[in-house]
């Protein structure tokens, strides 16, 4: 486990010590229920978002969750014209070689059958897995979008660390010869990290992609939203950002900029 002392960033800046979210936000994660209600209330608006080009999109659930958690997201993706899939791996509990092999098999199958690169959207731990999968197979991945994911090597950013270690041990990163070290390094594909400062599970600082850890030839960005951690998979603002990112033509990328009528959904202050 990493130290609680302040760490030095790759760019020379001293970062605050890694801490879990304030307990207030953890105790109020029940607000996700209202976000789900807002998702269904906003269905006519969300269904009117720009249509996709039909490429395959795989959604990866968070820690201890299953495909049921990403079902609303996938239904929206299908309405927008994407070939949306859950993952083939059951409940997201154990990070091991069996899981990685299943993810690789699914990615390879979709890439081969469609003849196109596949987009990956991962919620929390699912986002970590999506990013690492893209590092292993960048030739098969179109873009990665992580939602409230602990993309720092310091597990102290999340209050689920002990439960994760109970199932996975302290060093699951030994997989693939250290593949799961350097989580803060962005994969060599277009990468978006969505975070919320009111996240009650993963401290928002642990979900920020720093430019210093991004490949020079591959863009990355952070998008801040108003949301809970448990609501990120169906929060309307996240769905707006998701449709915008997926809607970009392959090989073309520009930073997210909400439309004029969408700006109230997103905080004005952004991280580069």
């Amino acid at each position: 486990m990493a130290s609680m002392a302040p760490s030095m960033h790759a760019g020379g800046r001293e970062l605050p010590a890694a801490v879990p979210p304030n307990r207030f936000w953890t105790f109020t994660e029940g607000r996700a229920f209202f976000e789900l209600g807002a998702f269904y209330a906003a269905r006519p608006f969300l269904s009117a978002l720009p249509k996709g080009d039909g490429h395959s999109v795989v959604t990866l659930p968070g820690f201890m969750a299953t495909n049921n958690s990403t079902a609303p997201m996938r239904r929206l993706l299908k309405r927008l014209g994407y070939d949306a899939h859950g993952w083939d791996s059951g409940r997201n509990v154990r990070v091991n070689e069996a899981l990685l092999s299943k993810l690789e098999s699914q990615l390879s199958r979709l890439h081969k059958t469609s003849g196109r690169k596949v987009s990956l959207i991962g919620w929390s731990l699912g986002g970590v897995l999506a990013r690492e999968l893209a590092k292993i197979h960048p030739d098969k991945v179109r873009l990665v979008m992580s939602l409230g994911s602990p993309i720092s090597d310091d597990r102290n950013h999340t209050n689920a660390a002990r439960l994760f270690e109970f199932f996975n041990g302290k060093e699951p990163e030994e997989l693939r010869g250290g593949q799961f070290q350097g989580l803060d390094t962005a994969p060599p594909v277009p990468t978006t990290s969505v975070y919320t400062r009111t996240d009650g599970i993963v401290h928002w600082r642990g979900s920020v992609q720093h430019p210093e850890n991004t490949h020079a030839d591959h863009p990355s960005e952070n998008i801040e939203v108003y949301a809970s951690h448990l609501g990120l998979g169906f929060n309307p603002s996240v769905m707006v950002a998701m449709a915008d990112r997926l809607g970009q033509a392959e090989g073309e990328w520009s930073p997210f900029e909400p439309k004029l009528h969408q700006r109230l959904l997103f905080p004005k202050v952004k991280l580069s």
Side-chain angles (χ1 to χ4, degrees), residues 42-66:
R43 275 188 298 182
F45 166 71
L46 296 176
S47 297
L49 290 170
K51 297 299 184 287
D53 62 2
H55 77 272
S56 297
V57 181
V58 177
T59 60
L60 291 79
F63 181 48
M64 301 299 292
T66 68

Side-chain angles (χ1 to χ4, degrees), residues 14-235:
E14 187 178 88
L15 297 177
V19 295
N22 186 292
R23 289 183 180 179
F24 172 79
W25 298 121
T26 303
F27 292 147
T28 60
E29 278 291 326
R31 55 207 150 101
F33 175 81
F34 299 100
E35 291 171 86
L36 181 59
F39 172 85
Y40 286 111
R43 275 188 298 182
F45 166 71
L46 296 176
S47 297
L49 290 170
K51 297 299 184 287
D53 62 2
H55 77 272
S56 297
V57 181
V58 177
T59 60
L60 291 79
F63 181 48
M64 301 299 292
T66 68
N67 278 328
N68 289 337
S69 64
T70 60
M73 183 193 308
R74 293 199 309 279
R75 284 195 289 268
L76 175 61
L77 287 170
K78 290 178 180 178
R79 284 201 297 271
L80 295 179
Y82 294 99
D83 179 33
H85 299 263
W87 74 346
D88 296 337
S89 305
R91 189 174 297 278
N92 191 355
V93 179
R94 297 291 304 279
V95 178
N96 54 26
E97 287 288 350
L99 174 61
L100 288 177
S101 294
K102 284 185 179 180
L103 291 173
E104 289 179 299
S105 295
Q106 182 178 19
L107 175 63
S108 296
R109 184 177 69 253
L110 291 174
H111 178 259
K112 182 178 180 179
T113 55
S114 69
R116 306 171 70 181
K117 292 184 177 181
V118 179
S119 291
L120 305 175
I121 300 178
W123 190 353
S124 197
L125 177 58
V128 175
L129 294 168
R131 286 164 58 98
E132 297 307 301
L133 186 61
K135 292 177 187 178
I136 300 172
H137 299 287
D139 57 315
K140 300 174 183 175
V141 177
R142 178 164 168 164
L143 65 84
V144 172
M145 192 169 185
S146 59
L147 313 179
S149 298
I151 58 174
S152 164
D153 278 329
D154 195 327
R155 222 171 283 150
N156 289 314
H157 277 115
T158 172
N159 56 24
R162 290 186 179 180
L163 184 59
F164 178 83
E165 291 173 2
F166 175 81
F167 288 105
N168 292 279
K170 295 218 177 251
E171 300 298 335
E173 295 87 351
E174 293 178 0
L175 289 169
R176 297 294 169 93
Q179 177 65 44
F180 278 67
Q181 293 176 346
L183 299 181
D184 56 351
T185 298
V189 300
T191 303
T192 296
S193 177
V194 175
Y195 72 96
T196 168
R197 291 176 190 261
T198 59
D199 194 311
I201 306 298
V202 178
H203 195 288
W204 68 269
R205 292 188 186 277
S207 295
V208 170
Q209 178 62 62
H210 295 284
E212 295 92 332
N213 294 325
T214 298
H215 293 263
D217 298 331
H218 302 283
S220 72
E221 65 181 341
N222 300 288
I223 300 176
E224 183 179 352
V225 296
Y226 299 112
S228 65
H229 183 87
L230 297 179
L232 283 167
F234 39 75
N235 182 286

